[in-house]
Amino acid sequence: MASKTFYIETFGCQMNVHDSEKVAGALLQRGYARVEAPDAADLVFYNTCSIRDKAEQKVFQRLQQFKRGANGKVFAVLGCVAQQEGEKIFERAPHVSLVAGSASYARLPELLARIEAGERRVTGLSLDTDETFETPLTRRDHPHRAYLTIIEGCDKSCAYCVVPFTRGPERSRASASILQEARELAEQGYTEIQLLGQNVNSYRDPSPAGWNFAQLLRQVARVPGIRRVRFTTSHPRDFGRDIVEAIDENPVLCNHVHLPVQSGSSLVLARMQRLYTREEYLRRIEWLKQSPRQIAISTDIIVGFPGETEEDFQDTLRLLDQVEYDSIFSFKYSPRPNTAALALGDAVPDEEKQRRLLMVQEKQRAIQIRRHAALIGSVAEVLVEGRNQALGQWIGRTAQHRILNFTHPDKSASLLGAYLPVLVTRSGPNSLVGEAVTGAVV
Ligand code: 5AD
Ligand code: SF4
């Protein structure tokens, strides 16, 4: 008999993408084969995100689409919408058989076995697991860069955020297990590792070594064969100067830090329960800017949080001018179930949120155009991540996490996965263009 097949579709952040890689690993281990279309699958997994309402609405639309021509298939809903909505999903989408949140994936083999035994409705919704989800067969989607989980869950209580409810309390993974996986990745040929967690800065090694995040970073940077280490996401409250010092001392640690600010107004930050003021945030930016390694800085911004006045919003625009971020992600505030901000209502009308969002994005675009233009004439090392056949260009990524597309005089060269110096010759708001500095594959 042909083996059973599965299809997995993913929405949301890197944690979700990586969770799907692990789920795929667990399924492959059980003898399932992966297919790239839901129609061809016996088991359809849908890994969901509920960070904003729009993402959540998509889930039920997509589940309806899956349903067409679905006879005999098993449908599973995973991720943050699964955790948040729980058994209600069975009511809205009766064709679903499995609903499980990320804190329960360690139990996935058991849940799958129950499905295979014919159980019609199975849930994994407990948030009190101590286990982290590790699978020896984790299948990375990217050939050179690998995600590696160091901490799961979140103990903060930002007033707008569902994550503490959907991913449960913080659980740090033992350092020996992290280093073991990093070594295995290097042996498999990965050269870049991205350490993942909702708040990596609060990492605390549960084993006797007791390392904090900066200590862990230094150790991962030492793994032979690993040329780049990144990490996401940081929380400004827990972001210590020792992290900047570790980056200063280790060229393997990429000179890029994502430090979500959310708002430039201390009043809004207090209502968001972010646990830092604008001034405290800017102190961390100063540490980063003083680094000799020219650390690129990116951030997340929410506009239209309840009670955000025009003056508060202007504080956010001024912060963008002051920090001059290398890139930002910006969002309109979206009220979420269970969160503290629900009690504050949703006072800023959508048109006004939209206006503020566009103003943030316009300002940032001008900043990026200016900053990118200043890079023309410089040389940066890229990891070659892809090829754009139509443009005859390779797609490179710098340590600062910029896209640098480039040409290479040797048209037959196979450059995927190589590290190359590239001269920047042109710039745009979102990427750079350049030419490989040849004769020097490093
Ligand atoms: N509404 C809008 N944006 C949100 N984010 C998190 N929760 C919300 C929400 N309710 C944004 C934050 C976070 C990023 C991942 O998503 O900026 O850093
Ligand atoms: Fe979406 Fe947040 Fe869940 Fe990631 S942790 S999938 S961003 S809700």
Side-chain angles (χ1 to χ4, degrees), residues 51-52 160-161 260 262 300-302 331-334 336:
I51 196 90
R52 282 167 292 275
Y160 49 81
C161 189
Q262 313 299 359
D300 293 343
I301 304 270
I302 296 176
F331 312 101
K332 292 191 280 186
Y333 168 69
S334 166
R336 306 308 298 129

Side-chain angles (χ1 to χ4, degrees), residues 205-249:
D205 185 3
S207 56
W211 291 339
N212 66 18
F213 180 57
Q215 288 168 311
L216 177 75
L217 273 180
R218 289 173 196 272
Q219 298 300 326
V220 178
R222 240 179 243 159
V223 172
I226 296 303
R227 296 185 58 160
R228 284 184 176 179
V229 176
R230 304 182 185 280
F231 54 89
T232 196
T233 277
S234 289
H235 189 295
R237 164 75 174 228
D238 302 324
F239 187 89
R241 197 165 196 165
D242 52 354
I243 299 171
V244 186
E245 285 160 4
I247 295 175
D248 286 349
E249 288 161 27

Side-chain angles (χ1 to χ4, degrees), residues 132-419:
T132 47
F133 180 39
E134 297 174 34
T135 149
L137 264 184
T138 300
R139 281 299 156 101
R140 265 91 185 174
D141 298 337
H142 191 284
H144 314 292
R145 177 187 348 126
Y147 293 134
L148 198 169
T149 307
I150 63 163
I151 178 168
E152 306 205 45
C154 182
D155 280 351
K156 292 282 181 292
S157 43
C158 303
Y160 49 81
C161 189
V162 286
V163 172
F165 307 99
T166 61
R167 289 185 168 263
E170 263 174 26
R171 288 96 65 200
S172 288
R173 182 171 166 193
S175 55
S177 162
I178 294 170
L179 289 175
Q180 170 70 20
E181 188 170 358
R183 282 191 291 268
E184 283 167 14
L185 288 167
E187 276 158 26
Q188 289 162 26
Y190 292 97
T191 56
E192 178 174 320
I193 286 180
Q194 183 158 355
L195 303 175
L196 288 185
Q198 292 299 338
N199 177 7
V200 288
N201 309 141
S202 65
Y203 175 80
R204 183 55 75 170
D205 185 3
S207 56
W211 291 339
N212 66 18
F213 180 57
Q215 288 168 311
L216 177 75
L217 273 180
R218 289 173 196 272
Q219 298 300 326
V220 178
R222 240 179 243 159
V223 172
I226 296 303
R227 296 185 58 160
R228 284 184 176 179
V229 176
R230 304 182 185 280
F231 54 89
T232 196
T233 277
S234 289
H235 189 295
R237 164 75 174 228
D238 302 324
F239 187 89
R241 197 165 196 165
D242 52 354
I243 299 171
V244 186
E245 285 160 4
I247 295 175
D248 286 349
E249 288 161 27
N250 290 277
V252 167
L253 300 178
C254 285
N255 48 347
H256 169 226
V257 169
H258 184 65
L259 200 60
V261 67
Q262 313 299 359
S263 168
S265 153
S266 290
L267 289 172
V268 174
L269 289 172
R271 277 203 304 277
M272 287 178 164
Q273 300 174 30
R274 286 291 285 177
L275 311 175
Y276 55 87
T277 61
R278 175 191 176 99
E279 289 67 35
E280 284 161 345
Y281 179 84
L282 285 172
R283 207 164 305 142
R284 279 140 186 86
I285 296 295
E286 268 319 297
W287 299 341
L288 291 166
K289 292 210 166 184
Q290 281 162 9
S291 164
R293 289 201 56 208
Q294 299 188 355
I295 300 175
I297 310 170
S298 56
T299 202
D300 293 343
I301 304 270
I302 296 176
V303 297
F305 187 75
E308 184 189 70
T309 62
E310 179 62 25
E311 204 180 321
D312 293 322
F313 174 61
Q314 290 296 330
D315 280 344
T316 297
L317 291 181
R318 273 193 291 276
L319 184 89
L320 292 187
D321 274 331
Q322 197 169 342
V323 178
E324 295 204 291
Y325 290 104
D326 294 272
S327 69
I328 67 166
F329 298 93
S330 49
F331 312 101
K332 292 191 280 186
Y333 168 69
S334 166
R336 306 308 298 129
N338 304 318
T339 57
L342 270 190
L344 306 172
D346 187 13
V348 181
D350 190 60
E351 302 77 39
E352 179 58 18
K353 284 184 194 164
Q354 187 63 27
R355 186 187 72 89
R356 292 181 188 180
L357 186 71
L358 289 178
M359 283 183 74
V360 159
Q361 291 175 348
E362 252 168 57
K363 176 167 285 296
Q364 181 59 24
R365 188 180 153 88
I367 291 170
Q368 282 177 211
I369 288 174
R370 208 168 55 235
R371 286 180 71 77
H372 283 178
L375 293 169
I376 293 175
S378 66
V379 172
E381 186 188 64
V382 300
L383 164 59
V384 185
E385 293 190 342
R387 177 136 173 83
N388 184 331
Q389 289 290 2
L391 291 176
Q393 286 176 338
W394 293 95
I395 301 165
R397 176 84 63 178
T398 70
Q400 291 188 322
H401 209 240
R402 289 184 226 276
I403 302 266
L404 171 45
N405 298 319
F406 65 98
T407 50
H408 192 283
D410 179 357
K411 301 287 176 231
S412 61
S414 161
L415 301 179
L416 282 182
Y419 286 80

